[in-house]
Amino acid sequence: MAEERKLKAPLWCSSRLALTLVGFFGFINLYALRVDMSVAIVCMTKQETGNSTGSCNVTAGASLGMNNSQESDATCGAVQSSGTFDWDKKTQGLILGSFFWGYIVTQLPGGWIAGRYGGKHVFGWSMLGCAVATLLTPLAARTSLILLIILRVIAGLCQGVVWPCMSILFSYWAPPLERSKLSGFVYAGCQVGVLVTFPLSGLLCVYGFDGGWPSIFYLLGGCGVLWFVVWIFIVHDSPVTHPRISQVEREYIVDSLKSHIDVSKKSTDTPWLKIFTSLPVWAIIVTHACANWGTYTFLTNIPTYMKDVLKFDIKKAGFLSALPYIGFWAMTNISGQLADWMRSKGFVTTTTARKLFNSLGTLVPGLFVVITGHLDGHPGIAVATMTIGVAMSGCQYGSGFIVNPVDIAPRYAGIIFGISNTTGTLGGVLAPVVIGIITQDKTSEQWQTVFYIAAVIYTVGAVFYIVFGSGEVQPWALEKKVDLAISASVEKGEIQLQPEQSETSAV
């Protein structure tokens, strides 16, 4: 850390800021191409009910674009459309869920490939593939249901590599004391993508060309192709290979990361056994699965709770339906900035920062989900508690477990994130199924059971991470060349290397 302060390279107008900005728009694009079908399918399908305005105010549940059959119920129920296709609810669920058949498959392979060959091209070309699949969606839908489902699976396959790729890129580009704010800014693009895509798609459903709904796929797919061109031109795998980076910035990044990773090299051998037997890695995996269960409970099912128990239709609330995502976006950035500031001032270690903000991002939502379950007859307060809970979840993205793979194993961050995101996605898919079984009678007591379960799972993830999480590079993740450099620094008294047992138990 002391060496990092010796050399300063301004963030503004830097190549790492350019990566961050283009990455931010990449994640907007990522979620736009993920949730586009959630709106379009309402316009594509023959509807029995609708309103005269043609507006599309979606619920919080569908906004993540990360669920299966329940999306069709939670999305754009207010859109009036004669529709083109006579798809029942089961078919709609099949179309919406097919994305995740592909998405869950490429998480781990994507991280491994990005580690070996670089995140730039894996990320870029995968998103181009997703954009092309999106552009072909209207043709596929008009040709064959099977072809449409195949394209959605392809889109999922392409998107599955993105999060691991971004972890790899940050391991080469983000100086340790800028890691939280840079990654937090990029990942906050998810929420912006949701906030932009739903109202835009709703308008295109009504006023778009070629029958309305096809214009959603043409416009968003076209934006994806344009983003790819910018990404390929601006982004490079590491500061060492970037042809336009300043010498000062290159030296600053390389120097700040030299104790963690040799940025001139890509991954060769993968220590699979070390990864799967590392407690800090399992801390990320467990808390990711637990956090996703809680997040899906909040965003996918609370709108249903408000409708069934509180008799409150959040779809008619307009701005209120967007509040949780605005709060999530804000807290992702705030927590990232605050964590880096606290670390730069020496107030907390990286380990403490990760555990602190990850706890805020899990325990506070766990508390508020329970509170929401006891607000019968108070829908306004329920919206407020949901908004606070979802907003605080952003701390996980700004400086919690989401950022942590780059801390503990920069070289293998993509692989670790691929593993954790696979388990996290499984948890998110299972949560609505379990909740549906529990709430068959739609009673307040049944929903309270759901919320208590979510709070317990949130707490388990938080406690496991507090006990076993770490913000320090693990010994097995260090290369021989880096080991020698660290040994020399230890002998000079410049740094202190803690044994893995101490790192995993430090708070």
Side-chain angles (χ1 to χ4, degrees), residues 475-501:
W476 52 264
L478 294 169
E479 303 166 41
K480 291 181 180 179
K481 179 178 178 181
V482 179
D483 283 337
L484 293 175
I486 289 185
S487 297
S489 298
V490 171
E491 291 178 1
K492 295 177 183 178
E494 295 176 354
I495 62 173
Q496 293 181 347
L497 185 61
Q498 300 294 327
E500 186 173 6
Q501 293 89 337

PDB file of all heavy atoms in Angstrom, residues 475-501:
ATOM      1  N   PRO A 475      -2.085 -17.313  -0.410  1.00  0.00           N
ATOM      2  CA  PRO A 475      -0.762 -17.825  -0.793  1.00  0.00           C
ATOM      3  C   PRO A 475      -0.786 -18.672  -2.054  1.00  0.00           C
ATOM      4  O   PRO A 475       0.124 -18.582  -2.881  1.00  0.00           O
ATOM      5  CB  PRO A 475      -0.347 -18.650   0.434  1.00  0.00           C
ATOM      6  CG  PRO A 475      -1.081 -18.019   1.575  1.00  0.00           C
ATOM      7  CD  PRO A 475      -2.393 -17.574   1.008  1.00  0.00           C
ATOM      8  N   TRP A 476      -1.818 -19.480  -2.237  1.00  0.00           N
ATOM      9  CA  TRP A 476      -1.888 -20.342  -3.423  1.00  0.00           C
ATOM     10  C   TRP A 476      -2.144 -19.561  -4.703  1.00  0.00           C
ATOM     11  O   TRP A 476      -1.964 -20.099  -5.812  1.00  0.00           O
ATOM     12  CB  TRP A 476      -2.972 -21.413  -3.254  1.00  0.00           C
ATOM     13  CG  TRP A 476      -4.314 -20.881  -2.854  1.00  0.00           C
ATOM     14  CD1 TRP A 476      -4.818 -20.807  -1.592  1.00  0.00           C
ATOM     15  CD2 TRP A 476      -5.330 -20.348  -3.718  1.00  0.00           C
ATOM     16  NE1 TRP A 476      -6.080 -20.263  -1.604  1.00  0.00           N
ATOM     17  CE2 TRP A 476      -6.416 -19.979  -2.901  1.00  0.00           C
ATOM     18  CE3 TRP A 476      -5.432 -20.156  -5.094  1.00  0.00           C
ATOM     19  CZ2 TRP A 476      -7.579 -19.416  -3.416  1.00  0.00           C
ATOM     20  CZ3 TRP A 476      -6.586 -19.595  -5.614  1.00  0.00           C
ATOM     21  CH2 TRP A 476      -7.645 -19.227  -4.779  1.00  0.00           C
ATOM     22  N   ALA A 477      -2.586 -18.299  -4.569  1.00  0.00           N
ATOM     23  CA  ALA A 477      -2.872 -17.485  -5.754  1.00  0.00           C
ATOM     24  C   ALA A 477      -1.666 -16.681  -6.216  1.00  0.00           C
ATOM     25  O   ALA A 477      -1.732 -15.995  -7.235  1.00  0.00           O
ATOM     26  CB  ALA A 477      -4.030 -16.532  -5.463  1.00  0.00           C
ATOM     27  N   LEU A 478      -0.564 -16.732  -5.451  1.00  0.00           N
ATOM     28  CA  LEU A 478       0.637 -15.994  -5.804  1.00  0.00           C
ATOM     29  C   LEU A 478       1.522 -16.826  -6.730  1.00  0.00           C
ATOM     30  O   LEU A 478       1.717 -18.025  -6.513  1.00  0.00           O
ATOM     31  CB  LEU A 478       1.420 -15.636  -4.538  1.00  0.00           C
ATOM     32  CG  LEU A 478       0.736 -14.663  -3.587  1.00  0.00           C
ATOM     33  CD1 LEU A 478       1.488 -14.605  -2.265  1.00  0.00           C
ATOM     34  CD2 LEU A 478       0.640 -13.281  -4.204  1.00  0.00           C
ATOM     35  N   GLU A 479       2.064 -16.172  -7.755  1.00  0.00           N
ATOM     36  CA  GLU A 479       2.982 -16.851  -8.656  1.00  0.00           C
ATOM     37  C   GLU A 479       4.369 -16.886  -8.029  1.00  0.00           C
ATOM     38  O   GLU A 479       4.691 -16.111  -7.134  1.00  0.00           O
ATOM     39  CB  GLU A 479       3.027 -16.122  -9.993  1.00  0.00           C
ATOM     40  CG  GLU A 479       1.655 -15.989 -10.642  1.00  0.00           C
ATOM     41  CD  GLU A 479       1.655 -14.985 -11.774  1.00  0.00           C
ATOM     42  OE1 GLU A 479       2.628 -14.970 -12.539  1.00  0.00           O
ATOM     43  OE2 GLU A 479       0.705 -14.204 -11.866  1.00  0.00           O
ATOM     44  N   LYS A 480       5.207 -17.782  -8.532  1.00  0.00           N
ATOM     45  CA  LYS A 480       6.548 -17.924  -7.981  1.00  0.00           C
ATOM     46  C   LYS A 480       7.318 -16.625  -8.066  1.00  0.00           C
ATOM     47  O   LYS A 480       8.020 -16.223  -7.149  1.00  0.00           O
ATOM     48  CB  LYS A 480       7.300 -19.031  -8.713  1.00  0.00           C
ATOM     49  CG  LYS A 480       6.748 -20.421  -8.440  1.00  0.00           C
ATOM     50  CD  LYS A 480       7.548 -21.482  -9.167  1.00  0.00           C
ATOM     51  CE  LYS A 480       6.981 -22.870  -8.869  1.00  0.00           C
ATOM     52  NZ  LYS A 480       7.744 -23.925  -9.584  1.00  0.00           N
ATOM     53  N   LYS A 481       7.179 -15.944  -9.194  1.00  0.00           N
ATOM     54  CA  LYS A 481       7.891 -14.684  -9.375  1.00  0.00           C
ATOM     55  C   LYS A 481       7.431 -13.661  -8.357  1.00  0.00           C
ATOM     56  O   LYS A 481       8.213 -12.926  -7.765  1.00  0.00           O
ATOM     57  CB  LYS A 481       7.676 -14.147 -10.794  1.00  0.00           C
ATOM     58  CG  LYS A 481       8.366 -12.831 -11.080  1.00  0.00           C
ATOM     59  CD  LYS A 481       8.123 -12.412 -12.520  1.00  0.00           C
ATOM     60  CE  LYS A 481       8.770 -11.063 -12.815  1.00  0.00           C
ATOM     61  NZ  LYS A 481       8.532 -10.627 -14.204  1.00  0.00           N
ATOM     62  N   VAL A 482       6.131 -13.620  -8.126  1.00  0.00           N
ATOM     63  CA  VAL A 482       5.580 -12.677  -7.157  1.00  0.00           C
ATOM     64  C   VAL A 482       5.954 -13.092  -5.749  1.00  0.00           C
ATOM     65  O   VAL A 482       6.243 -12.261  -4.889  1.00  0.00           O
ATOM     66  CB  VAL A 482       4.045 -12.599  -7.316  1.00  0.00           C
ATOM     67  CG1 VAL A 482       3.451 -11.639  -6.308  1.00  0.00           C
ATOM     68  CG2 VAL A 482       3.697 -12.138  -8.724  1.00  0.00           C
ATOM     69  N   ASP A 483       5.993 -14.402  -5.480  1.00  0.00           N
ATOM     70  CA  ASP A 483       6.385 -14.884  -4.158  1.00  0.00           C
ATOM     71  C   ASP A 483       7.766 -14.380  -3.778  1.00  0.00           C
ATOM     72  O   ASP A 483       8.004 -13.954  -2.650  1.00  0.00           O
ATOM     73  CB  ASP A 483       6.408 -16.414  -4.148  1.00  0.00           C
ATOM     74  CG  ASP A 483       5.001 -16.992  -4.054  1.00  0.00           C
ATOM     75  OD1 ASP A 483       4.124 -16.268  -3.579  1.00  0.00           O
ATOM     76  OD2 ASP A 483       4.816 -18.149  -4.449  1.00  0.00           O
ATOM     77  N   LEU A 484       8.709 -14.419  -4.746  1.00  0.00           N
ATOM     78  CA  LEU A 484      10.071 -13.972  -4.477  1.00  0.00           C
ATOM     79  C   LEU A 484      10.098 -12.484  -4.154  1.00  0.00           C
ATOM     80  O   LEU A 484      10.791 -12.038  -3.247  1.00  0.00           O
ATOM     81  CB  LEU A 484      10.961 -14.263  -5.695  1.00  0.00           C
ATOM     82  CG  LEU A 484      11.190 -15.760  -5.996  1.00  0.00           C
ATOM     83  CD1 LEU A 484      11.969 -15.908  -7.294  1.00  0.00           C
ATOM     84  CD2 LEU A 484      11.950 -16.426  -4.848  1.00  0.00           C
ATOM     85  N   ALA A 485       9.293 -11.713  -4.904  1.00  0.00           N
ATOM     86  CA  ALA A 485       9.251 -10.272  -4.653  1.00  0.00           C
ATOM     87  C   ALA A 485       8.685  -9.979  -3.272  1.00  0.00           C
ATOM     88  O   ALA A 485       9.179  -9.111  -2.544  1.00  0.00           O
ATOM     89  CB  ALA A 485       8.400  -9.580  -5.730  1.00  0.00           C
ATOM     90  N   ILE A 486       7.656 -10.720  -2.891  1.00  0.00           N
ATOM     91  CA  ILE A 486       7.056 -10.500  -1.580  1.00  0.00           C
ATOM     92  C   ILE A 486       8.012 -10.934  -0.475  1.00  0.00           C
ATOM     93  O   ILE A 486       8.128 -10.276   0.561  1.00  0.00           O
ATOM     94  CB  ILE A 486       5.726 -11.250  -1.479  1.00  0.00           C
ATOM     95  CG1 ILE A 486       4.700 -10.546  -2.363  1.00  0.00           C
ATOM     96  CG2 ILE A 486       5.230 -11.318  -0.057  1.00  0.00           C
ATOM     97  CD1 ILE A 486       3.321 -11.125  -2.270  1.00  0.00           C
ATOM     98  N   SER A 487       8.709 -12.040  -0.694  1.00  0.00           N
ATOM     99  CA  SER A 487       9.665 -12.498   0.314  1.00  0.00           C
ATOM    100  C   SER A 487      10.730 -11.449   0.569  1.00  0.00           C
ATOM    101  O   SER A 487      11.113 -11.180   1.711  1.00  0.00           O
ATOM    102  CB  SER A 487      10.323 -13.806  -0.144  1.00  0.00           C
ATOM    103  OG  SER A 487       9.359 -14.826  -0.274  1.00  0.00           O
ATOM    104  N   ALA A 488      11.182 -10.830  -0.526  1.00  0.00           N
ATOM    105  CA  ALA A 488      12.190  -9.777  -0.379  1.00  0.00           C
ATOM    106  C   ALA A 488      11.617  -8.593   0.381  1.00  0.00           C
ATOM    107  O   ALA A 488      12.289  -7.999   1.236  1.00  0.00           O
ATOM    108  CB  ALA A 488      12.683  -9.330  -1.754  1.00  0.00           C
ATOM    109  N   SER A 489      10.359  -8.260   0.096  1.00  0.00           N
ATOM    110  CA  SER A 489       9.732  -7.137   0.791  1.00  0.00           C
ATOM    111  C   SER A 489       9.533  -7.445   2.263  1.00  0.00           C
ATOM    112  O   SER A 489       9.671  -6.578   3.123  1.00  0.00           O
ATOM    113  CB  SER A 489       8.367  -6.815   0.141  1.00  0.00           C
ATOM    114  OG  SER A 489       8.544  -6.418  -1.202  1.00  0.00           O
ATOM    115  N   VAL A 490       9.223  -8.718   2.554  1.00  0.00           N
ATOM    116  CA  VAL A 490       9.044  -9.116   3.950  1.00  0.00           C
ATOM    117  C   VAL A 490      10.361  -8.985   4.706  1.00  0.00           C
ATOM    118  O   VAL A 490      10.422  -8.493   5.838  1.00  0.00           O
ATOM    119  CB  VAL A 490       8.510 -10.562   4.033  1.00  0.00           C
ATOM    120  CG1 VAL A 490       8.543 -11.052   5.473  1.00  0.00           C
ATOM    121  CG2 VAL A 490       7.100 -10.629   3.490  1.00  0.00           C
ATOM    122  N   GLU A 491      11.456  -9.408   4.059  1.00  0.00           N
ATOM    123  CA  GLU A 491      12.760  -9.327   4.700  1.00  0.00           C
ATOM    124  C   GLU A 491      13.144  -7.873   4.984  1.00  0.00           C
ATOM    125  O   GLU A 491      13.787  -7.570   5.992  1.00  0.00           O
ATOM    126  CB  GLU A 491      13.811  -9.975   3.809  1.00  0.00           C
ATOM    127  CG  GLU A 491      13.656 -11.497   3.715  1.00  0.00           C
ATOM    128  CD  GLU A 491      14.683 -12.111   2.775  1.00  0.00           C
ATOM    129  OE1 GLU A 491      15.504 -11.335   2.222  1.00  0.00           O
ATOM    130  OE2 GLU A 491      14.680 -13.336   2.610  1.00  0.00           O
ATOM    131  N   LYS A 492      12.743  -6.973   4.100  1.00  0.00           N
ATOM    132  CA  LYS A 492      13.058  -5.552   4.293  1.00  0.00           C
ATOM    133  C   LYS A 492      12.102  -4.886   5.277  1.00  0.00           C
ATOM    134  O   LYS A 492      12.269  -3.719   5.626  1.00  0.00           O
ATOM    135  CB  LYS A 492      12.983  -4.818   2.952  1.00  0.00           C
ATOM    136  CG  LYS A 492      14.044  -5.282   1.954  1.00  0.00           C
ATOM    137  CD  LYS A 492      13.868  -4.563   0.623  1.00  0.00           C
ATOM    138  CE  LYS A 492      14.872  -5.054  -0.404  1.00  0.00           C
ATOM    139  NZ  LYS A 492      14.671  -4.383  -1.715  1.00  0.00           N
ATOM    140  N   GLY A 493      11.062  -5.614   5.676  1.00  0.00           N
ATOM    141  CA  GLY A 493      10.093  -5.046   6.610  1.00  0.00           C
ATOM    142  C   GLY A 493       9.082  -4.133   5.958  1.00  0.00           C
ATOM    143  O   GLY A 493       8.383  -3.389   6.627  1.00  0.00           O
ATOM    144  N   GLU A 494       8.986  -4.181   4.574  1.00  0.00           N
ATOM    145  CA  GLU A 494       8.067  -3.286   3.871  1.00  0.00           C
ATOM    146  C   GLU A 494       6.616  -3.754   3.984  1.00  0.00           C
ATOM    147  O   GLU A 494       5.692  -2.957   4.020  1.00  0.00           O
ATOM    148  CB  GLU A 494       8.469  -3.183   2.398  1.00  0.00           C
ATOM    149  CG  GLU A 494       9.836  -2.513   2.210  1.00  0.00           C
ATOM    150  CD  GLU A 494      10.272  -2.514   0.747  1.00  0.00           C
ATOM    151  OE1 GLU A 494       9.551  -3.137  -0.067  1.00  0.00           O
ATOM    152  OE2 GLU A 494      11.296  -1.915   0.434  1.00  0.00           O
ATOM    153  N   ILE A 495       6.414  -5.088   4.001  1.00  0.00           N
ATOM    154  CA  ILE A 495       5.057  -5.605   4.144  1.00  0.00           C
ATOM    155  C   ILE A 495       5.089  -6.786   5.092  1.00  0.00           C
ATOM    156  O   ILE A 495       6.150  -7.351   5.373  1.00  0.00           O
ATOM    157  CB  ILE A 495       4.455  -6.040   2.789  1.00  0.00           C
ATOM    158  CG1 ILE A 495       5.290  -7.190   2.184  1.00  0.00           C
ATOM    159  CG2 ILE A 495       4.379  -4.889   1.825  1.00  0.00           C
ATOM    160  CD1 ILE A 495       4.663  -7.781   0.938  1.00  0.00           C
ATOM    161  N   GLN A 496       3.916  -7.146   5.561  1.00  0.00           N
ATOM    162  CA  GLN A 496       3.766  -8.309   6.422  1.00  0.00           C
ATOM    163  C   GLN A 496       2.768  -9.256   5.772  1.00  0.00           C
ATOM    164  O   GLN A 496       1.665  -8.860   5.414  1.00  0.00           O
ATOM    165  CB  GLN A 496       3.266  -7.909   7.817  1.00  0.00           C
ATOM    166  CG  GLN A 496       4.283  -7.082   8.592  1.00  0.00           C
ATOM    167  CD  GLN A 496       3.772  -6.737   9.974  1.00  0.00           C
ATOM    168  OE1 GLN A 496       2.606  -6.895  10.268  1.00  0.00           O
ATOM    169  NE2 GLN A 496       4.663  -6.275  10.826  1.00  0.00           N
ATOM    170  N   LEU A 497       3.167 -10.483   5.606  1.00  0.00           N
ATOM    171  CA  LEU A 497       2.304 -11.478   4.999  1.00  0.00           C
ATOM    172  C   LEU A 497       1.733 -12.365   6.092  1.00  0.00           C
ATOM    173  O   LEU A 497       2.465 -13.031   6.814  1.00  0.00           O
ATOM    174  CB  LEU A 497       3.107 -12.326   4.004  1.00  0.00           C
ATOM    175  CG  LEU A 497       2.309 -13.358   3.190  1.00  0.00           C
ATOM    176  CD1 LEU A 497       1.268 -12.650   2.337  1.00  0.00           C
ATOM    177  CD2 LEU A 497       3.235 -14.199   2.340  1.00  0.00           C
ATOM    178  N   GLN A 498       0.407 -12.347   6.234  1.00  0.00           N
ATOM    179  CA  GLN A 498      -0.252 -13.117   7.277  1.00  0.00           C
ATOM    180  C   GLN A 498      -0.531 -14.528   6.780  1.00  0.00           C
ATOM    181  O   GLN A 498      -0.826 -14.737   5.607  1.00  0.00           O
ATOM    182  CB  GLN A 498      -1.583 -12.454   7.671  1.00  0.00           C
ATOM    183  CG  GLN A 498      -1.406 -11.040   8.197  1.00  0.00           C
ATOM    184  CD  GLN A 498      -0.645 -11.005   9.504  1.00  0.00           C
ATOM    185  OE1 GLN A 498      -0.771 -11.930  10.306  1.00  0.00           O
ATOM    186  NE2 GLN A 498       0.145  -9.975   9.718  1.00  0.00           N
ATOM    187  N   PRO A 499      -0.464 -15.516   7.644  1.00  0.00           N
ATOM    188  CA  PRO A 499      -0.858 -16.866   7.240  1.00  0.00           C
ATOM    189  C   PRO A 499      -2.336 -16.909   6.926  1.00  0.00           C
ATOM    190  O   PRO A 499      -3.106 -16.079   7.388  1.00  0.00           O
ATOM    191  CB  PRO A 499      -0.529 -17.720   8.468  1.00  0.00           C
ATOM    192  CG  PRO A 499      -0.484 -16.754   9.607  1.00  0.00           C
ATOM    193  CD  PRO A 499      -0.005 -15.448   9.042  1.00  0.00           C
ATOM    194  N   GLU A 500      -2.735 -17.882   6.104  1.00  0.00           N
ATOM    195  CA  GLU A 500      -4.111 -17.951   5.635  1.00  0.00           C
ATOM    196  C   GLU A 500      -5.096 -18.059   6.781  1.00  0.00           C
ATOM    197  O   GLU A 500      -6.182 -17.494   6.739  1.00  0.00           O
ATOM    198  CB  GLU A 500      -4.277 -19.146   4.695  1.00  0.00           C
ATOM    199  CG  GLU A 500      -5.655 -19.203   4.042  1.00  0.00           C
ATOM    200  CD  GLU A 500      -5.723 -20.283   2.991  1.00  0.00           C
ATOM    201  OE1 GLU A 500      -4.760 -21.039   2.871  1.00  0.00           O
ATOM    202  OE2 GLU A 500      -6.768 -20.359   2.309  1.00  0.00           O
ATOM    203  N   GLN A 501      -4.695 -18.755   7.868  1.00  0.00           N
ATOM    204  CA  GLN A 501      -5.628 -18.900   8.986  1.00  0.00           C
ATOM    205  C   GLN A 501      -5.979 -17.559   9.597  1.00  0.00           C
ATOM    206  O   GLN A 501      -7.109 -17.290   9.954  1.00  0.00           O
ATOM    207  CB  GLN A 501      -5.020 -19.797  10.070  1.00  0.00           C
ATOM    208  CG  GLN A 501      -4.855 -21.253   9.610  1.00  0.00           C
ATOM    209  CD  GLN A 501      -3.507 -21.480   8.938  1.00  0.00           C
ATOM    210  OE1 GLN A 501      -2.890 -20.532   8.428  1.00  0.00           O
ATOM    211  NE2 GLN A 501      -3.059 -22.719   8.924  1.00  0.00           N
TER     212      GLN A 501
END
